[in-house]
Amino acid sequence: MSLSVMLQQLAGGMLVSVEIFFVTLLFSLPLGLIICFGRMSKNPVIRGIVTAYISIMRGTPLMLQLMVVYFGPYFIFGIRISMGYSLIAVFIAFAVNYAAYFAEIYRGGIESMPVGQYEAAKILGYNKVQTFFRIILPQVIKRILPSVTNEVITLVKDTSLAFVVAVAEMFTIAKQIASSQTTMMPFIIAAVFYYIFNLIVAVVMEKVEQKLNYYR
Protein backbone atom coordinates (compact mmCIF):
# COMPACT_ATOMS: atom_id res chain seq x y z
CA MET A 1 0.00 0.00 0.00
CA SER A 2 1.38 3.38 -1.00
CA LEU A 3 1.74 6.24 1.47
CA SER A 4 -0.90 8.34 -0.33
CA VAL A 5 -3.49 5.53 -0.14
CA MET A 6 -2.65 5.01 3.53
CA LEU A 7 -3.12 8.72 4.25
CA GLN A 8 -6.47 8.69 2.44
CA GLN A 9 -7.69 5.84 4.63
CA LEU A 10 -6.41 7.52 7.79
CA ALA A 11 -7.97 10.88 6.86
CA GLY A 12 -11.46 9.68 7.82
CA GLY A 13 -10.21 8.63 11.23
CA MET A 14 -8.48 11.99 11.68
CA LEU A 15 -11.78 13.80 11.04
CA VAL A 16 -13.61 11.61 13.57
CA SER A 17 -10.94 12.30 16.21
CA VAL A 18 -11.19 16.04 15.57
CA GLU A 19 -14.99 15.84 15.74
CA ILE A 20 -14.89 14.04 19.10
CA PHE A 21 -12.46 16.66 20.40
CA PHE A 22 -14.54 19.71 19.47
CA VAL A 23 -17.93 18.26 20.42
CA THR A 24 -16.55 17.25 23.83
CA LEU A 25 -15.23 20.76 24.48
CA LEU A 26 -18.45 22.35 23.22
CA PHE A 27 -20.54 20.50 25.81
CA SER A 28 -18.15 19.77 28.68
CA LEU A 29 -16.92 23.35 29.28
CA PRO A 30 -20.38 24.90 29.96
CA LEU A 31 -21.61 21.70 31.64
CA GLY A 32 -18.57 21.81 33.92
CA LEU A 33 -19.52 25.31 35.06
CA ILE A 34 -23.07 24.17 35.89
CA ILE A 35 -21.69 21.19 37.82
CA CYS A 36 -19.30 23.54 39.62
CA PHE A 37 -22.29 25.59 40.84
CA GLY A 38 -23.85 22.38 42.15
CA ARG A 39 -20.61 21.41 43.86
CA MET A 40 -20.52 24.79 45.62
CA SER A 41 -24.25 24.83 46.40
CA LYS A 42 -25.34 25.57 49.96
CA ASN A 43 -28.00 22.87 49.60
CA PRO A 44 -26.43 19.71 51.13
CA VAL A 45 -28.50 17.35 48.93
CA ILE A 46 -27.45 19.00 45.65
CA ARG A 47 -23.86 19.33 46.85
CA GLY A 48 -23.77 15.68 47.92
CA ILE A 49 -25.17 14.39 44.62
CA VAL A 50 -22.78 16.49 42.55
CA THR A 51 -19.81 15.56 44.74
CA ALA A 52 -20.65 11.87 44.27
CA TYR A 53 -20.96 12.37 40.51
CA ILE A 54 -17.56 14.06 40.29
CA SER A 55 -16.00 11.35 42.45
CA ILE A 56 -17.37 8.58 40.21
CA MET A 57 -16.36 10.30 36.97
CA ARG A 58 -12.82 10.94 38.20
CA GLY A 59 -12.46 7.65 40.03
CA THR A 60 -13.42 5.24 37.23
CA PRO A 61 -11.75 4.75 33.81
CA LEU A 62 -13.14 6.66 30.85
CA MET A 63 -13.06 3.37 28.93
CA LEU A 64 -15.48 1.83 31.44
CA GLN A 65 -17.75 4.88 31.26
CA LEU A 66 -17.82 4.57 27.47
CA MET A 67 -18.98 0.96 27.76
CA VAL A 68 -21.65 1.85 30.34
CA VAL A 69 -23.07 4.64 28.17
CA TYR A 70 -23.00 2.42 25.07
CA PHE A 71 -24.35 -0.84 26.51
CA GLY A 72 -26.41 0.66 29.35
CA PRO A 73 -29.56 1.47 27.34
CA TYR A 74 -29.85 -2.17 26.26
CA PHE A 75 -28.86 -3.99 29.46
CA ILE A 76 -30.70 -1.63 31.82
CA PHE A 77 -33.74 -0.50 29.80
CA GLY A 78 -33.90 -3.11 27.03
CA ILE A 79 -33.53 -0.44 24.32
CA ARG A 80 -32.12 -1.72 21.04
CA ILE A 81 -28.82 -0.05 20.11
CA SER A 82 -28.48 1.21 16.54
CA MET A 83 -25.16 1.41 14.71
CA GLY A 84 -25.35 5.21 14.67
CA TYR A 85 -25.48 5.31 18.47
CA SER A 86 -21.76 4.50 18.81
CA LEU A 87 -20.55 8.04 18.07
CA ILE A 88 -23.33 9.59 20.16
CA ALA A 89 -22.29 7.36 23.09
CA VAL A 90 -18.73 8.61 22.69
CA PHE A 91 -19.91 12.24 22.75
CA ILE A 92 -22.01 11.65 25.88
CA ALA A 93 -19.33 9.71 27.79
CA PHE A 94 -16.57 12.17 26.94
CA ALA A 95 -18.70 15.22 27.76
CA VAL A 96 -19.87 14.01 31.18
CA ASN A 97 -16.38 12.76 32.06
CA TYR A 98 -14.53 15.93 31.14
CA ALA A 99 -17.25 18.13 32.64
CA ALA A 100 -16.39 16.62 36.05
CA TYR A 101 -12.72 17.58 35.65
CA PHE A 102 -13.54 21.05 34.38
CA ALA A 103 -15.98 21.55 37.28
CA GLU A 104 -13.19 21.05 39.81
CA ILE A 105 -10.90 23.36 37.85
CA TYR A 106 -13.61 26.03 37.83
CA ARG A 107 -14.20 25.53 41.55
CA GLY A 108 -10.52 25.93 42.35
CA GLY A 109 -10.41 29.16 40.35
CA ILE A 110 -13.56 30.61 41.90
CA GLU A 111 -12.53 29.77 45.47
CA SER A 112 -9.12 31.35 44.90
CA MET A 113 -10.69 34.75 44.29
CA PRO A 114 -10.21 37.19 47.18
CA VAL A 115 -13.30 38.27 49.13
CA GLY A 116 -12.45 41.89 48.37
CA GLN A 117 -13.56 41.36 44.75
CA TYR A 118 -17.09 40.53 45.88
CA GLU A 119 -17.15 43.40 48.38
CA ALA A 120 -15.99 45.90 45.74
CA ALA A 121 -18.67 44.68 43.32
CA LYS A 122 -21.33 45.05 46.01
CA ILE A 123 -20.24 48.64 46.65
CA LEU A 124 -20.49 49.33 42.90
CA GLY A 125 -24.09 48.10 42.96
CA TYR A 126 -23.66 44.78 41.14
CA ASN A 127 -25.98 41.91 42.01
CA LYS A 128 -24.65 38.35 42.43
CA VAL A 129 -25.15 37.36 38.77
CA GLN A 130 -23.50 40.52 37.46
CA THR A 131 -20.65 40.15 39.94
CA PHE A 132 -19.93 36.62 38.81
CA PHE A 133 -20.14 37.06 35.04
CA ARG A 134 -18.62 40.54 34.77
CA ILE A 135 -15.96 40.49 37.47
CA ILE A 136 -15.26 37.00 38.84
CA LEU A 137 -15.53 34.73 35.78
CA PRO A 138 -13.13 36.71 33.52
CA GLN A 139 -10.48 36.56 36.25
CA VAL A 140 -11.19 32.88 36.94
CA ILE A 141 -10.72 32.02 33.24
CA LYS A 142 -7.35 33.74 33.31
CA ARG A 143 -6.27 31.79 36.40
CA ILE A 144 -7.46 28.35 35.32
CA LEU A 145 -6.22 28.48 31.72
CA PRO A 146 -3.03 26.42 32.35
CA SER A 147 -5.06 23.67 34.04
CA VAL A 148 -7.66 23.72 31.27
CA THR A 149 -4.86 23.46 28.70
CA ASN A 150 -3.58 20.28 30.37
CA GLU A 151 -7.05 18.72 30.23
CA VAL A 152 -7.54 19.73 26.60
CA ILE A 153 -4.22 18.13 25.64
CA THR A 154 -5.25 14.96 27.48
CA LEU A 155 -8.54 15.02 25.57
CA VAL A 156 -6.70 14.91 22.24
CA LYS A 157 -5.02 11.65 23.27
CA ASP A 158 -8.17 10.22 24.90
CA THR A 159 -10.05 10.37 21.59
CA SER A 160 -8.26 7.11 20.77
CA LEU A 161 -10.45 5.36 23.39
CA ALA A 162 -13.45 5.61 21.06
CA PHE A 163 -12.40 2.24 19.57
CA VAL A 164 -13.99 0.58 22.63
CA VAL A 165 -17.46 1.13 21.16
CA ALA A 166 -16.41 0.46 17.55
CA VAL A 167 -15.96 4.09 16.48
CA ALA A 168 -13.34 4.17 13.73
CA GLU A 169 -11.22 7.11 14.83
CA MET A 170 -7.58 7.72 13.94
CA PHE A 171 -5.96 5.08 16.15
CA THR A 172 -8.45 2.33 15.23
CA ILE A 173 -7.88 2.78 11.49
CA ALA A 174 -4.11 2.94 12.01
CA LYS A 175 -4.26 -0.35 13.92
CA GLN A 176 -6.34 -2.01 11.19
CA ILE A 177 -3.96 -0.93 8.43
CA ALA A 178 -0.89 -1.93 10.46
CA SER A 179 -2.40 -5.37 11.07
CA SER A 180 -3.35 -6.00 7.43
CA GLN A 181 -0.18 -4.55 5.90
CA THR A 182 2.27 -5.65 8.64
CA THR A 183 3.88 -2.23 8.83
CA MET A 184 4.54 0.33 11.55
CA MET A 185 3.96 3.27 9.22
CA PRO A 186 0.27 3.83 10.22
CA PHE A 187 1.30 4.10 13.88
CA ILE A 188 4.04 6.58 12.98
CA ILE A 189 1.53 8.68 11.02
CA ALA A 190 -0.93 8.50 13.92
CA ALA A 191 1.78 9.57 16.36
CA VAL A 192 2.65 12.55 14.15
CA PHE A 193 -1.04 13.46 13.91
CA TYR A 194 -1.55 13.42 17.69
CA TYR A 195 1.68 15.35 18.25
CA ILE A 196 0.82 18.08 15.71
CA PHE A 197 -2.75 18.30 17.03
CA ASN A 198 -1.48 18.74 20.59
CA LEU A 199 1.15 21.22 19.42
CA ILE A 200 -1.54 23.35 17.75
CA VAL A 201 -3.67 23.19 20.91
CA ALA A 202 -0.71 24.19 23.10
CA VAL A 203 0.24 27.11 20.82
CA VAL A 204 -3.36 28.39 20.61
CA MET A 205 -3.85 28.17 24.38
CA GLU A 206 -0.52 29.92 24.96
CA LYS A 207 -1.62 32.75 22.67
CA VAL A 208 -4.88 33.05 24.58
CA GLU A 209 -2.98 33.05 27.87
CA GLN A 210 -0.68 35.81 26.64
CA LYS A 211 -3.67 37.84 25.46
CA LEU A 212 -5.26 37.57 28.91
CA ASN A 213 -2.04 38.74 30.61
CA TYR A 214 -2.99 42.32 29.83
CA TYR A 215 -1.13 43.75 32.85
CA ARG A 216 2.25 42.41 31.69
Side-chain angles (χ1 to χ4, degrees):
M1 180 184 294
S2 66
L3 182 60
S4 60
V5 174
M6 194 178 295
L7 287 171
Q8 287 175 5
Q9 292 187 11
L10 290 168
M14 292 178 188
L15 290 175
V16 173
S17 295
V18 172
E19 185 180 5
I20 294 170
F21 172 81
F22 282 109
V23 171
T24 300
L25 285 185
L26 180 65
F27 288 98
S28 62
L29 285 170
L31 180 59
L33 188 59
I34 295 170
I35 294 169
C36 171
F37 292 150
R39 177 71 174 81
M40 299 175 68
S41 173
K42 294 179 180 179
N43 186 314
V45 176
I46 295 175
R47 188 172 63 250
I49 292 171
V50 174
T51 300
Y53 160 78
I54 292 173
S55 178
I56 292 169
M57 289 297 104
R58 298 201 304 169
T60 57
L62 177 55
M63 186 181 293
L64 177 61
Q65 294 166 23
L66 277 165
M67 296 175 72
V68 169
V69 173
Y70 182 70
F71 294 108
Y74 179 75
F75 288 117
I76 299 174
F77 304 107
I79 301 172
R80 293 270 177 197
I81 301 171
S82 64
M83 289 299 295
Y85 178 65
S86 298
L87 190 56
I88 295 173
V90 171
F91 292 154
I92 294 171
F94 271 72
V96 297
N97 176 274
Y98 272 85
Y101 286 93
F102 287 135
E104 287 297 271
I105 292 173
Y106 285 132
R107 185 174 69 88
I110 292 170
E111 292 183 346
S112 71
M113 295 300 297
V115 178
Q117 296 282 339
Y118 296 92
E119 294 172 345
K122 190 174 182 181
I123 292 171
L124 292 171
Y126 288 108
N127 59 35
K128 289 184 178 180
V129 175
Q130 290 173 325
T131 298
F132 181 77
F133 285 103
R134 292 186 180 181
I135 297 175
I136 303 301
L137 187 58
Q139 296 181 73
V140 166
I141 291 172
K142 180 180 175 181
R143 292 187 178 203
I144 67 175
L145 207 54
S147 299
V148 170
T149 300
N150 286 336
E151 288 301 321
V152 173
I153 288 173
T154 301
L155 171 59
V156 173
K157 293 178 285 186
D158 278 351
T159 57
S160 62
L161 293 175
F163 80 91
V164 174
V165 291
V167 172
E169 41 63 60
M170 178 67 175
F171 181 72
T172 303
I173 294 177
K175 188 168 60 173
Q176 291 172 351
I177 296 174
S179 177
S180 63
Q181 301 294 318
T182 61
T183 175
M184 284 292 293
M185 185 56 68
F187 291 132
I188 295 172
I189 295 171
V192 171
F193 163 74
Y194 286 119
Y195 176 75
I196 293 175
F197 197 171
N198 270 324
L199 187 62
I200 292 171
V201 169
V203 169
V204 169
M205 296 300 279
E206 186 178 354
K207 293 292 183 184
V208 173
E209 197 171 341
Q210 289 173 356
K211 194 172 183 62
L212 290 176
N213 286 334
Y214 32 76
Y215 291 122
R216 293 186 180 178

